[in-house]
């Protein structure tokens, strides 16, 4: 009798220990991936959804058994939008935390500050920022070997807008941009690509990222009588400029925003001034509007469901960039394990990867992997997005 | 404290020399060498600014501008014209010094609050120029692919090598500045701080000294900026904003503005707070800085360096009350 | 599509310039009140404006208080912050020097800013306009009704303050402190109480500026610094310590900024006000209405 009791008790104990140690024992090691996002600071609207997305995705992968049985260990540091902090963070991830790859940073500025580290320490970096200079060394005119990025470039956004404007027969436009990295880059592309699409730029106005009143600039634009206004900014200014546009009674001139407008929060903050505003958006923003046979339909719908369920907030376009970056790295880890050079090679040869913002086709000459088809033109109707005809 | 002994300097030098080796052995603080490079760069600025505020009694709420001018001149000359980085650093010093003279001469005739506002306005105007003149500065996108430094072919391409370079600079400047403080010029400065009228009547050319110290502090900031640019190989305007100017003030106030060691201690503590220790309190970072500055101003006007002195005074007062 | 003539454009710039200038004027008046009584320049002045806007958003939009109640409640709360600023940051300094007072107000301003960021986050917030958003078109320029509220409150504040300082006992006591604090305390005026009052009054005026401008330009946690610097520029332009100076200075500064941004370069918009400030400081620090003799007597 006592022997049986002991046997039962010990079995229960072993079982309990097994349960407790279970999840830990299920992983045969870990793959460390580093991430740097601007979670706080002025650009937290970029970094915060990116962090949330990355954490959600890592959790999902680990719940499904990890990558080849190993746990995906995500180490996230906050750059606070500061180039120096981003640099320190990436250095720490590579030299101290010994990660297999780094995703992020969120901004062009912070990305450019860490790009030399990828080459110096021969670690693959998949940035979530916009500027093409992140993957392209302007001085040496060649692709940066160790750096990739997931967001579309402003070149593609501008091409998408110009192609659409051509369709609508518009050729006289006014350009309005913010004097930040994002704004200056977009403005540069708008000016550069204009002749190719037969666009005449009749006004070129700028405002600061903390400006609260753009009526002077808009008034000047009104004086030049453009057919359409194209505004390139991200953050609160893109909302203020819409309110000024409406308050000045200029709504008869169609307004086009950059892809930085991609968040339903912006529509709400515009308090009705966003009605009828156009912008190019990645598929992730309009998952429900995509036709069923769209290659990204399944992936974007799933992300939308997961994100809104877990965080109880509308998804953000920028979170999609982090999803793409981490998925790409996880994919590479699955194929080649934690070998930095092999991960780099694998990423460089990735074709047909279905992501949130497009279908990626990388190559040794192209570390961006997307083209202008990664954008859908949408227009704001009744306070929400609809596909523009 | 006008007399600064040789022993503290030697001890500190020893600490700096073995630091990278120690940090390399202890995994938990492995990245501290990296952070110490920045501490060194900021020390260059705070030593000069501390001299200006503590000894000459003038305030500058726009010193980030000189830090930025040094960085941008170095960056522009090396990336666009391919000139030797050390030569460019020297040119940057000349440019910054000249600008400091042109701005300092009229500004330093102003008193207290007016001077603070003038330097504040200047700092912001320079920041706006960095953002606007895209042809030269690359605008908000910044300037990338800035070359690193090398000495006669020996590439300074590791964290440790740069650490020794920067701290080498700091020690040279430290010893030079201490000599200045202990010289006649230093006494003249102290006199100016206590009473400009009295100093004037003693034959001290007050304006000349104020401008001289201002230019000196600007030149040090310029050196720091160049070193920063060649370390990160990338700069953008947001590094040189108003908040950085205020952070410099916090470093000096916390460390103690009447003592040159205060500049180093303040730079060290605030840099580590900023880049390492406050990582878990990001939302509170600004509040922490404000609180530090306020508490120090009210309770520790001589900074941390002055703490032992204050405690001694308290102790003495306690004893005499018995 | 209606176009706009050059005169129309200039008129538009004037209108927006006067509106934003009114905000600068209100900040400048706040600076002057504190400066007149204490000779301190309060770097945290801009934060009162920011708090006015954000607290109003909280009371009116989040809590749902009607405008009539939320407005004075907000002003009262911001006034309280002003009082705390004096009690906790200025008063405790045992040996006030120029340097320590400047640093104290800078410290207070970043503390307030940090706390605002903690409470409200980094997003900008909106207030519904007091009397709607239907614009009025005059001479080709579009004028929002809210602009009149901003300018109107400036006028109201000027009238009330003039009456206060010239007709009431407390007001006259405060002016006495400005002229000569030692003499004032000799005749029995509680100087410390007057200092407190000056901070309270400045905070209240700043709050009004913040509340009236938010429906036009939104409000976020870090708006304070630029407003403070430009407000100071307005005060110095008009002559530090002079009330008509603050108003005229503010309006002129606002118009220069608006015209500069519209006609010269929109990227340098913020720089215009700062360049004006430097010009005044370098060439005529006493400003338009200031008296160079009086400014020399002031301790700071």
């Amino acid at each position: 009798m006592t022997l049986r009791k002991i046997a039962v008790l010990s079995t229960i104990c072993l079982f309990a220990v097994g349960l407790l140690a279970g999840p830990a024992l299920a992983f045969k090691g870990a793959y460390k991936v580093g991430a740097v996002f601007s979670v706080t600071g002025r650009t937290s609207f970029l970094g915060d959804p990116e962090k949330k997305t990355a954490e959600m995705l890592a959790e999902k992968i680990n719940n499904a058994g990890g990558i080849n049985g190993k746990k995906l260990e995500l180490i996230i540091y906050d750059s606070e939008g500061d180039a120096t902090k981003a640099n320190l963070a990436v250095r720490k991830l590579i030299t101290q935390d010994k990660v297999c790859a780094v995703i992020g940073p969120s901004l062009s500025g912070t990305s450019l500050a860490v790009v030399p580290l990828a080459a110096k320490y021969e670690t693959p970096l998949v940035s979530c920022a916009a500027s093409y200079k992140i993957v392209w060394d302007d001085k040496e005119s060649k692709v940066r070997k160790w750096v990739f990025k997931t967001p579309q470039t402003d070149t593609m956004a501008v091409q998408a807008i110009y192609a659409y404007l051509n369709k609508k027969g518009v050729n006289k436009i006014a350009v309005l941009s913010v004097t930040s990295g994002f704004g200056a880059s977009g403005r540069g592309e708008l000016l550069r690509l204009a002749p190719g699409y037969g666009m005449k730029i009749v006004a070129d106005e700028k405002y600061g990222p903390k400006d609260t009143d753009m009526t002077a600039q808009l008034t000047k634009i009104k004086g030049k009588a453009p057919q359409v206004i194209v505004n390139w900014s991200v953050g609160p200014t893109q909302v203020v400029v819409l309110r000024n546009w409406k308050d000045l009674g200029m709504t008869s001139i169609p307004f086009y925003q950059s892809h930085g407008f991609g968040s339903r929060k912006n529509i709400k903050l515009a308090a009705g001034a966003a009605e009828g505003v156009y912008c190019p958006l990645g598929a992730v923003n309009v998952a429900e509007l995509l036709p069923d046979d769209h290659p990204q339909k399944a992936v974007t719908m799933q992300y939308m469901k997961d994100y809104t369920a877990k965080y109880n907030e509308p998804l953000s376009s920028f979170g999609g960039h982090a999803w793409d970056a981490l998925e790409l790295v996880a994919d590479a880890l699955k194929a080649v394990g934690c070998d930095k050079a092999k991960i780099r090679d694998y990423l460089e040869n990735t074709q047909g990867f279905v992501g949130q913002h497009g279908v990626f086709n990388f190559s040794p000459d192209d570390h961006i992997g997307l083209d202008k088809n990664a954008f859908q033109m949408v227009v704001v109707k009744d306070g929400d997005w609809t596909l523009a005809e | 404290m006008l007399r600064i002994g040789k022993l503290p300097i030697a001890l500190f030098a020893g600490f700096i020399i073995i630091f990278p080796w120690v940090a390399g052995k202890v995994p938990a603080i492995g990245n501290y060498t990296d952070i110490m490079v920045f501490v060194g760069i900021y020390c260059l600025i705070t030593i000069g600014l501390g001299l200006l505020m503590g000894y000459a009694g003038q305030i500058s709420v726009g010193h980030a501008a000189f830090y930025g001018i040094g960085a941008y001149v170095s960056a522009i000359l090396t990336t666009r014209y391919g000139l030797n980085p050390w030569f460019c650093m020297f040119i940057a010093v000349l440019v910054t010094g000249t600008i400091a003279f042109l701005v300092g001469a009229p500004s330093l005739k102003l008193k207290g609050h007016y001077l603070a506002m003038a330097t504040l306005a200047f700092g912001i105007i320079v920041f706006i120029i960095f953002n606007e003149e895209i042809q030269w500065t690359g605008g908000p996108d910044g300037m990338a692919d800035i070359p690193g430094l090398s000495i006669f072919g020996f590439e300074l391409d590791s964290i440790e090598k740069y650490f020794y370079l920067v701290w080498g600079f700091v020690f040279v400047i430290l010893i030079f500045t201490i000599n200045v403080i202990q010289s006649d010029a230093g006494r003249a400065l102290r006199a100016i701080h206590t009473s400009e009228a009295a100093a004037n009547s003693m034959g001290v050319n007050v304006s000349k000294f104020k401008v001289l110290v201002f230019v000196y502090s600007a030149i040090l900031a310029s050196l720091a900026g160049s070193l920063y640019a060649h370390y990160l190989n990338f700069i953008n305007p947001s590094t040189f904003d108003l908040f950085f100017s205020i952070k410099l003030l916090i470093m000096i106030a916390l460390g103690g503005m009447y003592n040159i060691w205060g500049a180093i201690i303040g730079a060290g503590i605030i840099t580590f707070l900023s880049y390492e220790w406050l990582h878990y309190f990001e939302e509170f970072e600004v509040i922490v800085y404000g609180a530090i500055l306020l508490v120090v101003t009210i309770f520790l006007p001589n900074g941390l360096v002055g703490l032992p002195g204050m405690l001694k005074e308290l102790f003495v007062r306690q004893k005499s009350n018995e | 599509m209606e176009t706009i003539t050059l005169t129309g454009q200039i008129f538009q710039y004037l209108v927006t310039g006067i509106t934003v200038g009114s905000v600068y004027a209100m900040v400048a008046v706040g600076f002057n009140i504190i400066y007149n009584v204490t000779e301190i320049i309060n770097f945290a002045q801009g934060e009162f404006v920011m708090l006015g806007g954000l607290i109003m958003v909280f009371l009116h939009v989040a809590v749902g208080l009607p405008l009539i109640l939320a407005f004075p409640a907000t002003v009262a709360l911001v006034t309280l912050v002003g009082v705390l600023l004096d009690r906790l940051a200025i008063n405790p300094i045992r040996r006030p020097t120029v340097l320590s007072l400047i640093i104290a107000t800078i410290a207070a301003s970043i503390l307030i800013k940090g706390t605002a960021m903690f409470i409200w986050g980094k997003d900008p917030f909106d207030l519904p306009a007091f009397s709607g958003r239907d614009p009025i078109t005059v001479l080709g320029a579009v004028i929002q009704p809210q602009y009149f509220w901003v300018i109107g409150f400036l006028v109201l504040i000027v009238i009330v303050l003039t009456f206060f300082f010239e007709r009431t006992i407390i007001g006259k006591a405060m002016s006495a402190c400005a002229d000569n604090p030692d003499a004032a305390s000799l005749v029995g005026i509680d100087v410390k109480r007057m200092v407190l009052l000056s901070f309270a009054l400045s905070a209240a005026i700043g709050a009004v500026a913040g509340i009236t401008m938010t429906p036009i330009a939104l409000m976020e946690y870090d708006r304070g610094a630029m407003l403070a610097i430009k407000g100071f520029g307005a005060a110095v332009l008009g002559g530090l310590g002079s009330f008509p100076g603050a108003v005229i200075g503010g309006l002129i500064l606002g118009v220069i900024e608006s015209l500069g941004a519209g006609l010269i370069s929109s990227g340098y918009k913020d720089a215009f006000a700062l360049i004006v400030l430097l010009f005044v400081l370098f060439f005529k620090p006493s400003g338009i209405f200031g008296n160079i003799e009086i400014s020399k007597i002031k301790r700071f």
Side-chain angles (χ1 to χ4, degrees):
Chain A
M1 204 32 208
T2 349
L3 210 62
R4 218 159 136 240
K5 270 206 192 146
I6 294 175
V8 169
L9 217 60
S10 32
T11 320
I12 295 176
C13 286
L14 275 172
F15 194 60
V17 169
L19 269 180
L20 285 169
L25 287 177
F27 288 119
K28 308 176 264 146
Y31 285 134
K32 289 198 206 173
V33 174
V36 178
F37 298 128
S38 60
V39 184
T40 61
R42 293 226 94 207
T43 47
S44 60
F45 62 91
L46 292 171
D48 185 59
E50 285 168 358
K51 173 171 180 242
K52 290 191 166 116
T53 301
E55 286 175 335
M56 178 187 86
L57 190 56
E59 198 185 308
K60 194 171 176 187
I61 291 176
N62 286 329
N63 284 340
I67 302 177
N68 294 338
K70 295 201 196 202
K71 180 172 176 212
L72 175 59
E73 199 180 310
L74 193 59
I75 305 173
I76 304 181
Y77 290 135
D78 180 9
S79 68
E80 299 176 41
D82 181 302
T84 312
K85 291 190 183 165
N87 188 287
L88 278 162
V90 170
R91 239 188 271 258
K92 187 171 180 193
L93 284 169
I94 297 178
T95 58
Q96 237 192 316
D97 298 312
K98 309 241 190 299
V99 298
C100 309
V102 178
I103 60 172
S106 320
L107 302 167
S108 299
T110 46
S111 296
L112 286 168
V114 303
V115 141
L117 297 174
K120 190 186 272 187
Y121 292 103
E122 297 191 334
T123 304
L125 179 81
V126 186
S127 160
C128 295
S131 171
Y132 74 93
K133 292 192 208 158
I134 296 171
V135 297
W136 178 261
D137 185 339
D138 246 342
K139 220 164 75 170
E140 316 254 317
S141 287
K142 62 176 176 75
V143 163
R144 295 190 205 269
K145 190 166 169 230
W146 291 91
V147 186
F148 300 83
K149 72 184 206 76
T150 50
Q152 307 92 329
T153 55
D154 12 46
T155 315
M156 297 164 197
V158 171
Q159 285 169 328
I161 294 180
Y162 276 169
Y164 185 76
L165 287 178
N166 272 160
K167 227 165 68 172
K168 293 226 138 181
V170 169
N171 57 9
K172 221 165 92 170
I173 64 170
V175 169
L176 192 53
S177 63
V178 70
T179 57
S180 73
F182 184 79
S185 190
R187 173 184 168 273
E189 289 307 282
L190 283 165
L191 266 57
R192 184 177 75 90
L193 297 171
Y197 285 85
M199 290 293 162
K200 180 151 172 274
I201 298 181
V202 298
D204 175 15
E205 294 303 310
K206 301 192 230 155
Y207 52 87
K210 295 215 201 131
D211 272 9
T212 58
D213 175 52
M214 287 63 138
T215 49
Q217 292 91 333
L218 282 167
T219 305
K220 206 159 157 195
I221 287 177
K222 201 168 164 186
K224 303 279 169 70
Q227 292 171 291
V228 141
I229 302 174
V230 180
N231 173 55
W232 216 267
S233 65
V234 75
T237 47
Q238 57 187 335
V239 172
V240 175
V241 84
L242 282 181
R243 289 156 59 104
N244 289 160
W245 168 71
K246 184 153 182 250
D247 287 346
L248 285 175
M250 289 170 71
T251 49
S252 53
I253 313 176
F255 201 102
Y256 284 69
Q257 292 274 36
S258 71
H259 52 301
F261 194 57
S263 160
R264 284 186 172 84
K265 231 202 284 192
N266 285 329
I267 303 180
K268 217 167 79 165
L269 214 71
E275 265 318 283
V277 168
Y278 292 84
C279 85
L281 284 186
V284 62
N285 293 289
V286 290
E288 305 138 308
L289 301 172
L290 295 171
D292 285 330
D293 59 354
H294 193 286
Q296 293 173 266
K297 176 89 179 174
V299 134
T300 52
M301 286 297 289
Q302 187 63 55
Y303 173 57
M304 188 190 75
K305 285 205 192 89
D306 292 340
Y307 192 90
T308 44
K310 182 168 166 93
Y311 294 112
N312 223 346
E313 64 183 42
L315 71 76
S316 142
S317 181
F318 310 107
H321 299 312
W323 193 98
D324 291 339
L326 188 54
E327 243 337 291
L328 278 164
V329 169
D331 203 37
L333 283 169
K334 193 166 185 170
V336 299
C338 188
D339 178 327
K340 291 186 188 178
K342 289 210 184 117
I343 294 177
R344 190 214 79 86
D345 292 338
Y346 185 85
L347 286 171
E348 198 171 68
N349 292 308
T350 300
Q351 297 272 309
F353 179 87
V354 181
Q356 299 295 332
H357 276 275
V359 178
F360 290 85
N361 295 302
F362 292 109
S363 76
D365 297 314
D366 182 4
H367 281 200
I368 302 174
L370 296 170
D371 61 22
K372 77 172 192 306
N373 294 320
F375 281 115
Q376 332 285 323
M377 285 305 291
V378 298
V379 65
V380 178
K381 203 154 101 166
D382 298 327
D384 206 349
W385 311 116
T386 46
L387 293 171
E389 286 97 56
Chain B
M1 254 201 256
L2 284 176
R3 233 160 295 119
I4 290 148
K6 297 217 169 71
L7 186 60
I9 301 179
L11 282 176
F12 188 54
F15 170 72
I16 290 296
I17 291 174
I18 62 167
F19 190 88
W21 182 83
V22 172
K25 295 278 175 212
V26 183
I29 60 168
N31 65 327
Y32 276 22
T33 312
D34 202 10
I35 301 178
M36 282 296 279
V37 172
F38 290 101
V39 172
I41 292 177
Y42 297 152
C43 276
L44 284 174
I45 314 179
T46 55
I47 290 176
L49 195 54
L51 194 68
L52 182 68
M53 286 175 62
Y55 287 91
Q58 308 300 304
I59 189 164
S60 168
V61 193
H63 245 59
F66 298 122
Y67 180 47
I69 294 174
Y72 269 101
V73 172
S74 268
I76 292 173
L77 291 179
T78 51
T79 56
R80 285 180 205 272
Y81 299 101
L83 300 172
N84 176 293
W86 296 104
F87 177 65
C88 297
M89 208 183 285
F90 177 66
I91 302 284
V93 160
L94 288 179
V95 170
T96 312
T98 313
I99 296 179
F101 177 74
L102 292 173
V103 171
S107 300
L108 290 163
K109 294 205 181 86
L110 303 167
K111 284 191 285 182
H113 292 110
Y114 292 98
L115 175 64
M117 279 298 184
T119 52
L120 182 60
F122 169 69
I124 296 180
I125 291 175
V126 170
F127 175 74
I128 294 178
I129 295 178
F130 288 154
N131 267 302
E132 285 300 307
E133 294 305 311
I134 301 183
Q135 296 285 61
W136 286 105
T137 66
D141 248 345
M143 302 187 68
D145 301 312
I146 302 174
L149 289 172
S150 59
I151 303 184
F152 300 122
F154 177 65
E155 293 264 351
L156 295 162
D157 56 0
S158 76
I159 301 178
E160 288 76 22
K161 292 183 193 145
Y162 220 84
F163 173 90
Y164 287 117
L165 173 74
V166 169
W167 282 98
F169 266 89
V170 174
F171 272 97
V172 168
I173 297 295
L174 185 64
I175 295 174
F176 178 75
T177 309
I178 290 177
N179 279 329
V180 165
I181 294 173
Q182 293 176 318
S183 70
D184 287 337
R187 263 186 294 249
L189 283 176
R190 255 347 223 114
I192 293 172
H193 188 188
T194 319
S195 165
E196 278 191 36
N200 230 329
S201 64
M202 288 199 292
V204 175
N205 188 336
V206 174
S207 358
K208 176 177 121 187
F209 269 108
K210 288 203 284 192
V211 175
L212 213 58
V213 178
F214 189 74
V215 171
Y216 179 61
S217 68
I219 287 176
L220 291 181
S222 169
L223 275 176
S226 302
L227 287 171
Y228 173 83
H230 291 298
Y231 186 51
L232 236 58
N233 311 113
F234 170 80
I235 55 173
N236 74 359
S238 62
T239 311
F240 312 110
D241 62 359
L242 173 60
F243 194 62
F244 186 72
S245 290
I246 294 182
K247 246 188 179 166
L248 290 171
L249 288 182
I250 300 177
M251 290 181 198
I252 292 174
L254 177 65
M257 59 178 99
Y258 301 109
N259 182 310
I260 204 163
W261 293 109
I264 297 179
I265 293 174
I269 297 180
I270 296 296
T271 307
F272 270 92
L273 266 180
S274 197
Y275 294 149
E276 185 74 13
W277 301 331
L278 276 183
H279 261 329
Y280 306 106
F281 301 102
E282 281 123 15
E283 298 293 332
F284 299 89
E285 207 183 327
V286 181
I287 301 182
V288 170
Y289 292 144
I292 290 177
L293 193 56
L294 196 59
V295 166
V296 163
T297 309
I298 298 176
F299 298 110
L300 281 177
N302 290 332
L304 285 174
V305 215
L307 196 56
M310 269 182 67
L311 290 174
K312 199 160 83 162
E313 213 186 285
L314 264 168
F315 186 64
V316 165
R317 228 183 293 152
Q318 287 279 55
K319 284 209 105 180
S320 68
N321 281 341
E322 285 159 17
Chain C
M1 215 271 322
E2 353 92 64
T3 50
I4 185 169
T5 60
L6 185 62
T7 31
Q9 276 182 53
I10 294 187
F11 191 64
Q12 181 78 61
Y13 300 143
L14 282 175
V15 168
T16 36
I18 292 180
T19 310
V20 75
S22 301
V23 174
Y24 297 156
M26 286 192 251
V27 178
V29 166
F31 267 119
N32 279 339
I33 294 178
I34 295 182
Y35 177 77
N36 273 336
V37 178
T38 66
E39 289 177 357
I40 298 174
I41 299 292
N42 176 22
F43 275 74
Q45 189 66 31
E47 310 306 321
F48 297 143
V49 179
M50 178 269 292
L51 284 176
L54 289 182
I55 293 181
M56 184 70 172
V57 166
F58 173 68
L59 291 178
H60 185 49
V61 176
V63 173
L65 284 178
L67 199 65
I68 294 283
L69 289 179
F71 198 117
T74 305
V75 173
L77 283 170
V78 179
T79 307
L80 186 62
V81 174
V83 166
L84 286 173
L85 176 58
D86 173 55
R87 291 287 102 179
L88 297 176
I90 308 292
N91 209 24
I93 299 178
R94 270 169 277 119
R95 271 169 290 167
T97 62
V98 187
L99 220 55
S100 59
L101 287 168
I102 292 174
I103 296 180
T105 55
I106 292 179
S109 86
I110 60 179
L111 247 181
I112 297 175
K113 180 170 111 169
T115 314
M117 178 185 102
F118 181 66
I119 299 177
W120 281 283
K122 275 150 230 114
D123 293 328
F125 289 94
D126 184 26
L127 270 181
F130 296 177
S131 50
R133 304 197 78 97
D134 289 321
I136 307 164
T137 319
V138 175
L139 291 181
V142 171
I143 308 179
Q144 277 287 311
Q146 191 68 22
Y147 294 1
F148 292 116
W149 284 104
V150 176
I151 302 172
F153 267 101
L154 174 67
V155 171
L156 184 67
I157 286 173
V158 169
I159 296 176
V160 168
L161 281 180
T162 317
F163 178 78
F164 176 77
F165 280 113
E166 289 182 15
R167 297 295 172 89
T168 66
I169 303 255
I170 301 185
K172 284 201 258 202
M174 281 177 76
S175 302
C177 289
D179 289 332
N180 192 331
D182 295 321
S185 66
L186 275 175
V187 290
I189 296 175
D190 185 343
V191 178
K192 287 215 156 145
R193 183 114 78 82
M194 293 299 118
V195 171
L196 186 68
L197 201 55
S198 70
F199 272 91
L201 206 51
S202 276
I205 297 173
V208 171
I211 299 172
T212 49
M213 74 172 269
T214 303
I216 303 173
L218 306 181
M219 185 55 75
E220 51 193 328
Y221 78 108
D222 64 352
R223 216 51 93 60
M226 265 321 230
L227 284 169
I229 300 166
K230 293 182 186 174
F232 180 77
V236 168
L237 177 61
L240 202 56
S242 152
F243 282 115
V247 175
I248 305 280
L251 295 176
I252 295 179
L253 206 68
V255 169
I256 291 179
E257 183 176 281
S258 196
L259 286 174
L263 299 174
I264 305 177
S265 157
S266 46
Y268 278 96
K269 181 159 116 147
D270 284 337
F272 291 115
L274 301 174
I275 293 174
V276 167
L277 171 60
L278 280 182
F279 247 72
V280 173
L281 286 178
F282 288 170
F283 299 115
K284 190 167 198 279
S286 51
I288 300 179
F289 290 103
N291 195 316
I292 200 136
E293 301 306 324
I294 294 186
S295 59
K296 281 206 178 128
I297 301 178
K298 298 279 187 191
R299 272 175 293 149
F300 298 135

